[in-house]
Amino acid sequence: MKLYILFICLTVASCFSVKPAPICCFPDQFETFMFISQGVVDVPSGKLGYGYGYANATVRTAFDGINQLTYAHEHSMSFMSIYPVPIVLDSANILDYKNNVQWRVYGDGSCDKLDVGLPLYPECIPANASLMSKGLLGKTGKVLQTFIFHNRIYLDPYEVTVTVIMSDDKEGECIPLRMSVSQAYVFDSDKNVDITVADIFDFTPGIKDISIFTPPSSCDKVTTIKESGSIKNSGSIRDILQKFADMHRNNRE
């Protein structure tokens, strides 16, 4: 009888399959400051010339996985070959996942309100990530580890590289130091590539001031904008990078 049950379990893949535990995860709550830089190249199919450019940004973030809140204030400048002047953006996103609402606050104080549409996932390095390198940080004895993994591989590859230090205080927890997202777009023989890199500074576990998640009064009377797929990524550092890459790519199309 036991052999019969075992055979059934193997036939259906598993009775209660368990997803492999991640290599490590960032703290449930943290604040950080990032410097983001991006290089872009567009080579259009059947057309003369190509587009290229560079963008940089400073982003202050707060991630509260316990209360399901995130905050990201970005100030960026883009230099694109197809535009005569730099593109400057200044905006903050406050996401409340429990109430499915996002506030997008612009530099002039105006505000948009949108749905979130997705849960807030923890920021983790998945079990299938590959270890690229391992070494010491100076004389501190801290061990740096760099991993690489893919979120999707088809016409729209999305590859992540992240360097972390394992936490001394909590097993399975790690602190990010540097992260990159690379995306290659191959549609109708176009060859378009984005590489976005973040240097992560002043990473502090916990939330010092919860008022950072309170939208300004300019958001009190705005109506919700219904945008299809307006929030396709969460408030994690990795997804902030992906959103940054997508936004600046859309600016040059």
Side-chain angles (χ1 to χ4, degrees), residues 4 22 68-69 74 87 137 144 220 236:
Y4 176 71
Q68 298 287 286
L69 297 164
E74 172 193 330
I87 303 169
L137 177 63
L144 302 182
D220 291 346
S236 67

Side-chain angles (χ1 to χ4, degrees), residues 107-154:
D108 62 0
S110 61
C111 183
D112 289 336
K113 183 180 178 183
L114 305 95
D115 293 334
V116 175
L118 287 176
L120 178 60
Y121 297 103
E123 179 97 71
C124 298
I125 298 176
N128 63 353
S130 299
L131 178 65
M132 295 181 64
S133 65
K134 189 174 182 179
L136 294 177
L137 177 63
K139 297 181 180 180
T140 65
K142 299 287 187 180
V143 177
L144 302 182
Q145 299 183 68
T146 300
F147 297 91
I148 188 170
F149 58 93
H150 298 82
N151 272 30
R152 59 183 182 271
I153 307 175
Y154 289 106

Side-chain angles (χ1 to χ4, degrees), residues 54-56 76-80 82-83 85-89 248 251-252:
Y54 172 78
N56 62 46
S76 66
M77 181 173 291
S78 305
F79 303 87
M80 301 297 174
I82 58 176
Y83 293 118
V85 296
I87 303 169
V88 178
L89 297 174
H248 290 83
N251 280 338
R252 66 182 190 279

Side-chain angles (χ1 to χ4, degrees), residues 1 10 31 81 117 160 165 173 212 214 231 236 244 250:
M1 181 66 176
L10 293 176
E31 296 181 13
S81 62
V160 179
I165 296 177
E173 188 175 88
I212 197 171
T214 302
I231 299 299
S236 67
F244 183 86
N250 291 336

Side-chain angles (χ1 to χ4, degrees), residues 152-197:
R152 59 183 182 271
I153 307 175
Y154 289 106
L155 293 178
D156 189 5
Y158 171 25
E159 184 176 82
V160 179
T161 303
V162 56
T163 300
V164 299
I165 296 177
M166 295 299 174
S167 172
D168 295 328
D169 303 322
K170 187 175 180 181
E171 185 177 357
E173 188 175 88
C174 52
I175 304 300
L177 297 179
R178 186 176 176 87
M179 187 179 295
S180 69
V181 168
S182 62
Q183 296 172 284
Y185 304 84
V186 186
F187 295 105
D188 300 325
S189 298
D190 287 0
K191 309 298 182 183
N192 304 322
V193 179
D194 294 335
I195 299 177
T196 306
V197 179

